[in-house]
Each structure stands twice: as structure tokens, then as C-alpha cells.
Amino acid sequence: MAGPGSLVRRLARGVAGDRLIDAVNERRNTWRTLRARDRQPLVDSILPAFAARGGNILWVGCRRYTQDYPARLEAGGGVCWTTDIDPSAEAFGAPGRHRTGDLCQAPFLFDDVAFDVILCNGVFGYGVDSPQMQRSAVAAMAEICNPGALLLLGWNTDKIDDPVASGATAPAFSPCAAMGLSQRLAVPGTTHVYDLFRHESAPHG
């Protein structure tokens, strides 16, 4: 009969095994996401366009596969901040400029900075799901924008209804084309859509 020490060792090996499996799965997901068809327009066209625009930039939603995005977005001299509701995501955020919290509480998270650019990709439908939550998130992002700020919203047609058609983005943001980017890009062969908006209201106080 196994003694208490053997049981502890088996349990420890089980925990270590679970952690190893989680780590392998995370890295596999990272590899797949980086090579996904819907990721290419973001990396090849969208991030460089926003980097060239500069200013204060907010990236919403951090994972291992986004960890180099702050550096990419700062390539043109801008300053990138990041946020995510998951405390562990800070490891993949902008060093020294990451805030942990709910996107719907953005005015409290960023009461000391206003943004010229917000990129919110893969958040609606992955936590911010209901129309009410989406409207709250959009209103919160509007409060931390400078006049004329741009919002990029990436979402999937199999996860949520069209946020433009549902009115989730209005009246705070109006669809626009800018910096050589189209108002809407539906990535062929995927369910992913990138929408571009402009915010025109009063400056963040």
C-alpha cells in the first residue's frame, strides 16, 4: 500500500502534468493564431497604419500572440497602452503602461490619459458578448478618446450580431475610411470583420 509520501508525489506529478499540458496548449494556440488568415491584415496593414498615425494608442485584450504589438504600434513614435480584464495578461501587455480591469470601466482605468487610437480586436464575442455590454464598452471607450480619435473594432460574424447594424457603435462612433484602410474589411475565408470608426465628440475631461 502506498504511503502518504507516494500519494503526495503522484498528486504533484499530476499538477505538474496539467500545467505542462496547459502550457503546450497555449503555445499551440499562439502558433495557430499568429498564422491565422484573419491575423494577416492586422499585422501587415492595420498595425503599421496606426503606428504611422502615432499619438496615444490603446490596445485592448492581451495574449501571448499580441505581446509584440505594443512595440509595433510605437514604431512611428506613438505611445501604446494596453488593458485586459485578466490579471495574468499583464505579462503580455505594454511594460509599465498596462491597466488590468473591465473594458466597460475604461474611464476609471484611464482617468489620466486620453487616446488618439483604440484597437479592440477579438473582445466583442469573447467576453463582451451581449448588446448591452457592447454598448457599455463603446460608451466607455468614447469617454477616453480625443476628438477625431479612431477606433478599430475586430469581431466575428459567428460570435455576435453586426455591432454597426445593431446600433452598438452609434452615436459615439461613425464608420469611416482612413490611412489607406477601408471602412470595413471582411477577411475572405473567415468570419472575421475589421470595422474602422471615427469619434468626434468633446475631448476627454
Side-chain angles (χ1 to χ4, degrees):
M1 181 175 179
S6 297
L7 178 59
V8 169
R9 285 192 293 273
R10 286 200 302 274
L11 290 173
R13 283 197 296 271
V15 171
D18 289 343
R19 288 177 178 169
L20 178 60
I21 290 171
D22 288 344
V24 169
N25 287 337
E26 182 198 10
R27 291 185 181 276
R28 182 182 293 120
N29 181 56
T30 296
W31 186 88
R32 289 175 176 170
T33 302
L34 288 172
R35 288 155 182 78
R37 185 177 299 180
D38 61 3
R39 188 72 32 175
Q40 298 314 303
L42 179 67
V43 173
D44 295 342
S45 302
I46 295 171
L47 295 184
F50 280 105
R53 180 180 174 86
N56 283 333
I57 302 168
L58 177 62
W59 175 267
V60 182
C62 301
R63 293 296 180 268
R64 185 180 299 277
Y65 49 80
T66 69
Q67 63 186 334
D68 69 332
Y69 289 4
R72 289 175 180 265
L73 287 166
E74 291 182 340
V79 177
C80 184
W81 298 71
T82 56
T83 187
D84 197 287
I85 197 170
D86 181 358
S88 68
E90 182 176 0
F92 310 120
R97 288 191 297 276
H98 181 86
R99 306 275 171 90
T100 298
D102 187 339
L103 178 60
C104 296
Q105 301 299 316
F108 301 98
L109 296 175
F110 296 99
D111 60 352
D112 56 345
V113 60
F115 294 98
D116 304 294
V117 167
I118 298 179
L119 299 101
C120 182
N121 182 54
V123 176
F124 282 28
Y126 293 88
V128 180
D129 300 332
S130 70
Q132 181 179 354
M133 289 182 67
Q134 291 164 24
R135 287 191 292 270
S136 294
V138 168
M141 288 189 285
E143 284 196 45
I144 59 173
C145 281
N146 283 318
L150 296 179
L151 167 67
L152 179 85
L153 186 62
W155 56 281
N156 294 79
T157 59
D158 60 337
K159 295 292 184 181
I160 61 169
D161 293 333
D162 185 335
V164 179
S166 71
T169 55
F173 292 95
S174 300
C176 73
M179 306 175 302
L181 301 175
S182 59
Q183 173 181 313
R184 168 166 287 187
L185 171 62
V187 182
T190 77
T191 65
H192 206 85
V193 177
Y194 292 105
D195 278 324
L196 187 60
F197 304 90
R198 187 182 303 278
H199 177 59
E200 300 290 358
S201 67
H204 174 59

